Amino acid sequence: MSRVSANIARKRRHARIRARVVGTPGKPRLCVFRSLSNIYAQVIDDANGVTVASAGSLDAGIKEKLSGKTKTQAAEIIGAELAKNAQGKGISEVIFDRGGYKYHGRIKALAESARKAGLKF
């Protein structure tokens, strides 16, 4: 019997999560994607299929702040920046979609930083 790769297992977990987690215009979904070297987060209104706010480690304004930081510190900066962008669009409450990743390490750092910056979830 062959073993399932970690990425396929994560995608299966994410599909199970997405079956229950849906973003609405009043309470959009905060979706996180993490690669080996970068992390991205976006606030999505699933009813209209629109990305309301986003932040990632490759964004021009953020990339300068990340030089010399660890990946976890970068995730904290991304979370704070995303919360600032979302609040600028009038969003204060979201549903957290961890994307099939464990709520641990960079995902946890991003979520806690977004909460500290004012997003409620």
Side-chain angles (χ1 to χ4, degrees):
M1 191 184 311
S2 64
R3 185 173 175 181
V4 177
S5 75
N7 196 37
I8 290 173
R10 181 195 71 81
K11 287 182 180 181
R12 285 182 185 166
R13 283 191 303 272
H14 191 210
R16 284 196 306 269
I17 291 167
R18 285 288 293 120
R20 290 177 292 170
V21 175
V22 178
T24 62
K27 196 171 180 182
R29 175 171 57 100
L30 192 164
C31 182
V32 178
F33 177 77
R34 162 180 80 77
S35 70
L36 287 177
S37 55
N38 296 300
I39 189 160
Y40 314 93
Q42 51 187 340
V43 176
I44 303 168
D45 172 9
D46 289 320
N48 299 321
V50 176
T51 298
V52 181
S54 67
S57 56
L58 294 178
D59 290 353
I62 299 173
K63 195 171 185 179
E64 301 161 353
K65 298 177 187 177
L66 302 182
S67 62
K69 306 278 190 212
T70 64
K71 293 181 201 177
T72 306
Q73 291 170 335
E76 290 173 358
I77 293 169
I78 300 295
E81 196 70 29
L82 179 71
K84 187 176 85 175
N85 291 346
Q87 288 174 335
K89 302 279 176 84
I91 295 167
S92 61
E93 197 170 353
V94 295
I95 297 173
F96 189 64
D97 175 10
R98 59 188 173 85
Y101 303 105
K102 285 184 180 179
Y103 186 79
H104 175 75
R106 290 191 275 162
I107 303 297
K108 183 177 179 180
L110 187 142
E112 289 178 352
S113 175
R115 278 191 189 107
K116 189 183 276 188
L119 278 183
K120 294 178 185 166
F121 56 93

